[in-house]
Amino acid sequence: MLIWRVKNNRGEGSMKYKRIILLLCIFFSVSLLHAQGKFDFNRIKAESHSFITKEAGLSAQEAARFFPVFDEMKGKQRGYFNKLRAVYNASPSSEREAREAIEKADAYEIQLKQIEQRYHKEMLKVLPATKLLRVLEAERRFHRQMFRKMAGRRR
């Protein structure tokens, strides 16, 4: 938690980014439930595709061209989400270890953003910018809904 507090003193825009990353990490960390047979990753993926297609108003042709690129991006990001989760769950015992954890987390977040930026350019070759913006917003709404749904189940 120390890492989280230290890093969030950068400003409001940074806080939104951290929340999105946290939500995505939580979404992908439910893979632990998958091992217990309670979580079906393919079902969630299909639900997200359906939600995004509907909310962003994608045609069948647009969706067919868009989602392979989108899924490839998510696959590459998943490894960094796992690394970030490990950093945030670690309990550094010294000032040096805490500094290293902060630096690692920063590096992973930069890598995530670079992957996202690279794939946004690819996605813009498939969709107009206005539709891609609607897709990105729909994805955020889907993750918020899933998080709320999962949080409600645990109560």
Side-chain angles (χ1 to χ4, degrees), residues 3 25 29 78-92 101 104-105 108:
I3 296 169
C25 287
S29 71
R78 196 169 298 118
Y80 288 101
F81 288 135
N82 292 337
K83 290 176 183 180
L84 265 174
R85 188 176 60 241
V87 169
Y88 287 136
N89 288 336
S91 299
K104 275 185 190 178
Y108 294 149

Side-chain angles (χ1 to χ4, degrees), residues 52-107:
I52 291 169
T53 299
K54 180 182 170 198
E55 293 291 312
L58 297 180
S59 69
Q61 295 84 6
E62 288 171 327
R65 290 189 333 257
F66 170 75
F67 283 112
V69 178
F70 179 81
D71 292 340
E72 185 178 322
M73 177 185 76
K74 291 299 176 189
K76 288 188 179 181
Q77 287 179 323
R78 196 169 298 118
Y80 288 101
F81 288 135
N82 292 337
K83 290 176 183 180
L84 265 174
R85 188 176 60 241
V87 169
Y88 287 136
N89 288 336
S91 299
S93 59
S94 70
E95 193 65 25
R96 183 184 58 78
E97 288 178 4
R99 182 179 306 278
E100 288 173 2
I102 291 169
E103 290 170 358
K104 275 185 190 178
D106 287 346

Side-chain angles (χ1 to χ4, degrees), residues 42-63:
N42 290 327
R43 182 181 58 83
I44 299 298
K45 182 175 160 183
E47 285 179 18
S48 75
H49 286 197
S50 175
F51 183 87
I52 291 169
T53 299
K54 180 182 170 198
E55 293 291 312
L58 297 180
S59 69
Q61 295 84 6
E62 288 171 327

